[in-house]
Amino acid sequence: MGLLQTDFFQRAVQQQWLVRLLERFVPPLDRFLLKISRGWLSTAMQTIVWMETTGARSGEARETVTLCMPDGPNVVLVGSNWGREKHPAWVFNLRSNPQARIRFRGYVGPVKARELTGEKRVQMWQRLVEYSPQYQRYADRVSRELPVILLERS
């Protein structure tokens, strides 16, 4: 049993104050660690990716760090936004311009985003929840369907 499946961890991530604290301090530190390590180091006990997208409105480069699941050479993202009702900004950015760059486990380079729908989304969702049960808790907390996005290496 991994740390993520322990009762202690599962109870901890249900505490809103802890989620807010982590949300504020972890992403900036992870951005730094992922940049200097080519995607290998982070503070997370879960798998994360550094991603650069193009702003949907501004057209400017936007950096983000988010949870992910490896899928062969590709990466799968969930637009959970820490269990909030609104999609994270990077979802809109990828919908507007699917070309992005990532740093993940030694790979630094371009990817193309594709939002999964229908049966492909259902199958991937099952894998995602097995990989990280936290995704289901986020989905149960909101009324929107959480976007599932596949980042394919270019």
Side-chain angles (χ1 to χ4, degrees):
M1 173 187 278
L3 177 63
L4 300 179
Q5 279 74 36
T6 64
D7 287 339
F8 172 78
F9 184 81
Q10 298 302 321
R11 283 191 309 270
V13 296
Q14 292 178 5
Q15 302 300 314
Q16 280 299 87
W17 68 268
L18 180 60
V19 171
R20 279 190 233 110
L21 182 70
L22 293 173
E23 177 182 7
R24 182 176 182 141
F25 292 105
V26 171
L29 182 55
D30 280 337
R31 264 187 224 107
F32 171 75
L33 291 171
L34 288 165
K35 276 186 181 181
I36 66 168
S37 70
R38 297 180 53 88
W40 284 100
L41 294 176
S42 74
T43 62
M45 292 177 278
Q46 294 177 305
T47 311
I48 62 172
V49 63
W50 172 92
M51 177 174 55
E52 183 179 287
T53 61
T54 302
R57 292 184 190 161
S58 69
E60 295 178 13
R62 301 289 186 211
E63 292 182 8
T64 192
V65 174
T66 190
L67 295 175
C68 69
M69 180 184 78
D71 184 43
N74 304 317
V75 176
V76 183
L77 308 177
V78 176
S80 62
N81 201 16
W82 298 82
R84 291 193 180 123
E85 277 301 327
K86 291 184 176 183
H87 295 318
W90 59 260
V91 168
F92 299 106
N93 294 347
L94 290 174
R95 286 174 175 167
S96 175
N97 183 352
Q99 303 300 323
R101 290 184 52 80
I102 63 168
R103 291 175 192 261
F104 183 72
R105 294 186 175 171
Y107 175 75
V108 178
V111 291
K112 184 171 183 177
R114 181 167 52 97
E115 189 165 352
L116 301 181
T117 59
E119 188 59 30
K120 288 185 179 187
R121 185 195 180 283
V122 170
Q123 290 172 354
M124 187 63 74
W125 182 256
Q126 291 171 345
R127 290 182 51 209
L128 283 159
V129 171
E130 282 180 28
Y131 185 76
S132 180
Q134 186 172 345
Y135 290 129
Q136 188 60 56
R137 281 190 294 283
Y138 285 153
D140 292 343
R141 201 181 304 169
V142 299
S143 60
R144 65 185 174 92
E145 181 175 86
L146 302 181
V148 175
I149 298 177
L150 178 65
L151 300 179
E152 299 173 297
R153 291 187 186 186
S154 300

